[in-house]
Amino acid sequence: MAINKLVTPVVKWVGGKRQIINQIVKYIPKSFSTYYEPFLGGGAVLFELQPKTAVVNDINAELINLYEVIKNNVNELIDDLKQHRNDETYFYELRELDRNKEYYNHLTPIQRASRLIYLNKTCYNGLFRVNKAGQFNTPFGNYKNPNIVNEYTLKAVSSYFNKAQITFTCKDFNEALKGARKGAFVYLDPPYDPVSDSASFTGYDKGGFDQSEQIRLKNACDKLNEKGIKFLLSNSATDFIKDLYKDYKIEIIQAKRVINSKADKRGEIDEVLVMNFE
């Protein structure tokens, strides 16, 4: 299946890999059977590789709904997106919809997907963040001309989803990996271990992802390794992570952090790529 350069992320996501995709693909095996990605997020690696067969997962149900709508109802989604206004009052009205669960649950999958894209394109710094109640809480971005309706990209992604054999799931990462067999390849991009007490990458889902979750993920990597399944994992280059994966091959790369509420905190930081193969 030919690579389509128009197939790129449709949302900006915390920890997205577009900035370092060239560094990541250098370490991905040339051939594998099924591609697994249990922390899909913005999907930069999936869209770069465009594998023929993939099982992709995210614990964020709204994000998985978005991808399913792009696959099955892209034209209806585009039509709905065209109705949105880049207006602060309108933004907060739409943002508040998830405060009323009874009303929110009556929105169609297309309306929910359209809302997610709109908020992502018009909120401050493109930061998808929810509070502990699972409510979107990023403020309005005040952008002059945000690209709310990226029609070419949406249609290209929809075309790829329909040509390939893509399975979308919304589960715990362990559950999402249960079907993996030798010959498959797994790319893991979990919420990162915070580089400081004030840093956090866990606001994309109300559940959070603390060090006990990082340990649970490492145990999942050990099981993949025991099965002879190749994996590649991204994370921050903290002492905790480097020690946790000390039995595996670790490469340090430079990544540019582009999402931070403070401009002086953006810039190049060390990240790790962990793998169980040469």
Side-chain angles (χ1 to χ4, degrees), residues 168-182:
F168 297 100
T169 59
C170 182
K171 305 174 179 177
D172 177 79
F173 61 83
N174 264 323
E175 289 293 317
L177 289 171
K178 275 191 172 177
R181 299 288 181 266
K182 189 172 182 179

Side-chain angles (χ1 to χ4, degrees), residues 32-125:
F32 47 84
S33 53
T34 302
Y35 175 82
Y36 281 81
E37 188 169 352
F39 304 93
L40 183 57
V45 176
L46 172 72
F47 295 145
E48 180 71 18
L49 298 177
Q50 296 174 37
K52 293 180 182 178
T53 308
V55 177
V56 293
N57 175 82
D58 202 281
I59 199 66
N60 188 311
E62 294 302 317
L63 183 64
I64 294 302
N65 173 70
L66 169 63
Y67 290 135
E68 290 177 332
V69 167
I70 290 172
K71 178 180 179 179
N72 300 316
N73 306 98
V74 70
N75 291 322
E76 294 92 335
L77 174 61
I78 289 167
D79 288 342
D80 199 89
L81 283 168
K82 289 176 180 177
Q83 300 176 47
H84 293 308
R85 306 190 305 273
N86 183 33
D87 171 81
E88 185 170 3
T89 300
Y90 176 79
F91 172 90
Y92 284 111
E93 286 174 356
L94 211 61
R95 197 188 77 164
E96 294 298 308
L97 292 183
D98 61 10
R99 272 66 174 169
N100 184 337
K101 287 299 178 186
E102 186 175 345
Y103 178 82
Y104 189 75
N105 290 337
H106 281 88
L107 294 180
T108 67
I110 292 167
Q111 289 171 326
R112 284 165 45 207
S114 176
R115 174 181 177 269
L116 190 154
I117 289 180
Y118 169 76
L119 293 176
N120 184 263
K121 299 296 184 182
T122 57
C123 74
Y124 180 73
N125 220 9

Side-chain angles (χ1 to χ4, degrees), residues 175-233:
E175 289 293 317
L177 289 171
K178 275 191 172 177
R181 299 288 181 266
K182 189 172 182 179
F185 169 68
V186 180
Y187 174 62
L188 304 130
D189 183 28
Y192 278 17
D193 185 46
V195 295
S196 67
D197 291 339
S198 60
S200 175
F201 295 94
T202 60
Y204 83 110
D205 179 74
K206 61 184 177 181
F209 205 89
D210 58 17
Q211 288 194 343
S212 66
E213 288 292 282
Q214 299 285 359
I215 292 170
R216 196 164 68 89
L217 177 58
K218 193 268 182 180
N219 292 336
C221 290
D222 290 341
K223 290 177 183 176
L224 292 172
N225 190 54
E226 289 166 8
K227 292 179 180 179
I229 299 171
K230 294 179 180 179
F231 74 82
L232 177 68
L233 174 139

Side-chain angles (χ1 to χ4, degrees), residues 22-36:
N22 291 335
Q23 297 184 71
I24 291 172
V25 296
K26 287 192 299 185
Y27 297 100
I28 290 175
K30 297 296 182 203
S31 62
F32 47 84
S33 53
T34 302
Y35 175 82
Y36 281 81

